[in-house]
Amino acid sequence: PPHRPLFRPPRAEQKSCCRLCWCMEPANKKAKTMTSSFDVKHPETLTSFILARHHHKQEKGDFCSLMGAIQTASKIISRAVHRAGIDEMSGATEEVNVQGEIVKRMDIVSNETMIHFLVNSGQLCLGASEETEDVIRPPEHLTGEFVVTFDPLDGSSNIDAGVNVGTIFGIYRRISDSGPNGTNPGELSDVLQPAKNLIASGYTMYGASTVLVMAIKGDGVNGFTLDTGSGEFVLTHKNMRIPPKGKIYSINEGNHATWDAITTEYVTQCKSKGPDGAKPFSLRYIGTMVGDVHRTLCYGGIFMYPADSANADGKLRLLYECGPMSMICEEAGGRSSFGPGDVKDIQPVKLHQRCPIFMGSKEDVDNFDKIARK
């Protein structure tokens, strides 16, 4: 055969492993396996992360499929956000949404994308969106076990300036009877649940990178970064924990003249030296809840959007923003308050209900509560 050497060693010196070749290893020695000087690390994707924790749970509905729909919608919105200028999707329309706010082109794209994938997942009982006046009902044959509330594009007023924006979502189990076939239509009470009933919540932040942060009840908070090469969300922020105390406060100081006495006193305290000579807090405010909360989650401190004389009930929405974000904060070891109590305990009475919110490091929110309860 062609692989035989030109020089054939004497038979006594042969160390062959077969009759057809003359290798330098004895015939009875096992073949060496390929070794490496480093360990190959396989990334953990969002899909594998969820499957590893939920495939064994004998519950109605397929949570993995629902999250598959949300992450697919997030990828499509991410691409649309990053190409908004190129595809001429920047700017506002002439429409006004149910909140009385001018609708941006990207608001429509994001809202319709979320609705499409949630409805077609076959897992949605009812949906509720900040951009939609009424609840979102899937057709009977696609009705499922989960309720999803969402803000399709938080901070869209900043999108033309290239500031971080994001999608916020909260997931509940329906409380109405789904029937023997699991296709009974949902009821409004399925949506109007307090945040303490959330089984999961999260946000996808679209900025220099696309990061999906998700809290699962009892499982903590984890962050996944979109790998644009593979198209997968990869675990990059494992078991996120908010510092117990921070040095940053985040609030719109432009509304100072309309704040109540409690908020004014607390912010004044933040800007003053502590009794032990500690430096004042630093002010950081992006104007997008997703961006401000993400920074607070990473570095600690407190994020505030209080009620004021212009917005007696606060400005942020309970079901789409405050509830889901408060769950993330608390699962990460922080706290969220609306002054008189915890946000998670508020019983919603209408879809687009608003509430004030103070959330972040536990010690900082506790300090605010001390002033609020004087």
Side-chain angles (χ1 to χ4, degrees):
H3 70 277
R4 285 194 179 189
L6 294 177
F7 168 71
R8 179 171 178 170
R11 187 170 298 274
E13 298 176 13
Q14 285 184 23
K15 295 182 179 180
S16 66
C17 59
C18 66
R19 290 191 310 129
L20 299 178
C21 67
W22 290 271
C23 65
M24 297 306 294
E25 297 294 334
N28 62 351
K29 189 171 181 179
K30 291 183 179 179
K32 290 183 178 180
T33 57
M34 184 173 66
T35 60
S36 175
S37 59
F38 62 92
D39 294 327
V40 178
K41 293 183 178 180
H42 300 286
E44 184 170 11
T45 66
L46 176 57
T47 301
S48 62
F49 179 89
I50 296 170
L51 283 171
R53 286 156 179 78
H54 288 270
H55 77 281
H56 62 284
K57 295 187 177 181
Q58 302 299 316
E59 298 173 335
K60 282 187 174 181
D62 187 344
F63 180 76
C64 300
S65 293
L66 181 71
M67 278 307 304
I70 290 174
Q71 65 170 308
T72 300
S74 294
K75 294 172 189 176
I76 292 172
I77 295 170
S78 174
R79 183 180 184 277
V81 166
H82 289 112
R83 290 187 55 86
I86 298 170
D87 294 338
E88 298 183 354
M89 292 300 294
S90 300
T93 66
E94 296 180 357
E95 299 177 30
V96 176
N97 66 12
V98 66
Q99 316 293 339
E101 300 165 342
I102 295 174
V103 177
K104 296 275 188 172
R105 290 186 177 92
M106 282 306 305
D107 283 323
I108 296 173
V109 171
S110 303
N111 193 48
E112 291 185 354
T113 300
M114 285 291 290
I115 292 172
H116 172 79
F117 283 98
L118 286 172
V119 167
N120 286 282
S121 70
Q123 304 302 319
L124 186 70
C125 165
L126 286 177
S129 167
E130 182 183 312
E131 299 294 332
T132 306
E133 186 171 0
D134 202 356
V135 294
I136 300 157
R137 293 183 181 274
E140 183 178 325
H141 70 283
L142 288 175
T143 299
E145 293 291 331
F146 299 99
V147 174
V148 182
T149 61
F150 59 94
D151 180 351
L153 198 63
D154 173 67
S156 58
S157 61
N158 290 324
I159 194 168
D160 295 346
V163 175
N164 284 7
V165 293
T167 300
I168 306 171
F169 60 89
I171 303 173
Y172 302 84
R173 283 195 173 275
R174 66 183 297 170
I175 55 178
S176 63
D177 183 16
S178 59
N181 299 321
T183 57
N184 282 1
E187 301 173 2
L188 184 58
S189 59
D190 290 317
V191 178
L192 299 180
Q193 297 188 56
K196 63 184 177 184
N197 289 358
L198 284 162
I199 64 168
S201 68
Y203 59 84
T204 308
M205 183 175 66
Y206 314 114
S209 59
T210 297
V211 180
L212 191 155
V213 174
M214 184 177 67
I216 299 176
K217 196 167 190 176
D219 271 353
V221 180
N222 292 275
F224 303 81
T225 302
L226 181 62
D227 176 3
T228 55
S230 66
E232 292 285 351
F233 280 102
V234 176
L235 180 62
T236 51
H237 301 70
K238 191 172 183 179
N239 191 27
M240 299 177 74
R241 303 294 294 174
I242 187 168
K245 183 172 176 58
K247 295 299 294 180
I248 297 172
Y249 76 102
S250 182
I251 192 170
N252 185 352
E253 286 266 14
N255 294 332
H256 177 270
T258 63
W259 293 343
D260 59 21
I262 294 170
T263 305
T264 301
E265 182 179 346
Y266 180 73
V267 172
T268 300
Q269 185 183 101
C270 288
K271 295 191 287 187
S272 305
K273 284 187 176 181
D276 57 351
K279 291 182 179 179
F281 280 33
S282 297
L283 170 65
R284 299 286 184 272
Y285 185 71
I286 298 171
T288 300
M289 188 183 191
V290 165
D292 283 313
V293 170
H294 186 74
R295 183 197 57 250
T296 304
L297 187 63
C298 293
Y299 304 140
I302 186 168
F303 167 80
M304 298 173 278
Y305 211 114
D308 54 37
S309 59
N311 300 282
D313 296 323
K315 191 172 181 182
L316 300 180
R317 269 64 55 160
L318 175 59
L319 287 173
Y320 318 122
E321 296 162 320
C322 297
M325 287 301 208
S326 68
M327 180 194 178
I328 294 170
C329 186
E330 294 191 10
E331 281 288 330
R335 270 202 65 212
S336 65
S337 169
F338 68 102
D342 291 344
V343 171
K344 66 182 179 183
D345 295 324
I346 301 174
Q347 174 61 55
V349 294
K350 57 184 179 180
L351 283 179
H352 301 289
Q353 183 172 333
R354 300 173 189 255
C355 83
I357 189 167
F358 304 83
M359 62 181 293
S361 297
K362 186 177 185 304
E363 290 184 28
D364 295 326
V365 178
D366 286 346
N367 287 338
F368 169 81
D369 278 355
K370 288 177 185 177
I371 296 173
R373 293 169 183 171
K374 280 182 181 178

